[in-house]
Amino acid sequence: MKNVIIVAGGKGLRMGGELPKQFIPVNGKPVLMHTLENFYAYDNNINIILVLPVDHQDYWKSLCSKYYFYVPHRIANGGETRFYSVKNGLDLIEDLSGVVGVHDGVRPFVSHQVIDNCYSSAKMGMATVPVVDMVETVRFIEDDSESKTVPRDRYKLVQTPQVFPVSMIKNAYAQSYRPEFTDDASVVESMGIKITLVEGNRENIKLTTPFDLKIAETLSAK
């Protein structure tokens, strides 16, 4: 069985407003609805788990009513950090034989091809992460006064969904939290498991700034 945990705990501070970024309208409806609809359109049998802070859940339910949003999903409580939010989402998955992706709620434009490639890889037992190439020159800052150019072909930009066999990621999240756990791949990798990279899509941006919203309006209008 395919599962996806969509994490939406952002406070939206970099957007410059009080409304959390996952609830900001893009082309007529909140960003988060676009994200859930994208996974449902990919596979209408996928088990969608939405992780939201407790104090956002009533507002989300009111938005679902306002926009007549009926994509099936269950809600898990957000945690103190992303680690605990994902852990809470995993607690709602009982079937250990399936695969599960973890996806940022503010990445509504991941392509179905990328989703399918990630899930297909995870079905073969791989811990799978989509990435894209760096296109700009990268400099490494050695101290306050020194920096040097580094070869950008040795670096990748990491996206989501990061997809794993359910048993693998549940076992990884049985660990205690550590600050170096910046994404799900880092949690799994700490268990000595190799990460498999697949090609992502450039449009799969994480909506973080007002400029990103302008790009989102253009992409969602296609």
Side-chain angles (χ1 to χ4, degrees), residues 102-179:
V102 184
H103 189 68
D104 297 321
V106 290
R107 288 187 189 266
F109 303 117
V110 59
S111 74
H112 288 181
Q113 186 62 62
V114 169
I115 296 173
D116 195 58
N117 289 345
C118 289
Y119 276 86
S120 295
S121 175
K123 282 182 179 178
M124 294 187 290
M126 317 281 200
T128 308
V129 174
V131 297
V132 292
D133 292 335
M134 306 258 327
V135 296
E136 300 188 37
T137 298
V138 179
R139 293 191 69 82
F140 174 72
I141 300 174
E142 298 189 78
D143 55 44
D144 290 339
S145 59
E146 298 291 333
S147 68
K148 63 180 180 181
T149 300
V150 294
R152 65 187 175 199
D153 59 343
R154 301 294 299 273
Y155 295 87
K156 300 289 184 181
L157 297 175
V158 174
Q159 300 182 333
T160 64
Q162 299 183 4
V163 189
F164 314 88
V166 171
S167 57
M168 176 191 291
I169 193 171
K170 273 183 169 279
N171 187 43
Y173 269 88
Q175 302 177 83
S176 297
Y177 169 74
R178 301 206 300 264

Side-chain angles (χ1 to χ4, degrees), residues 168-196:
M168 176 191 291
I169 193 171
K170 273 183 169 279
N171 187 43
Y173 269 88
Q175 302 177 83
S176 297
Y177 169 74
R178 301 206 300 264
E180 57 265 34
F181 291 160
T182 56
D183 65 356
D184 309 289
S186 61
V187 180
V188 171
E189 196 170 31
S190 72
M191 303 287 288
I193 296 170
K194 179 183 176 181
I195 303 299
T196 297

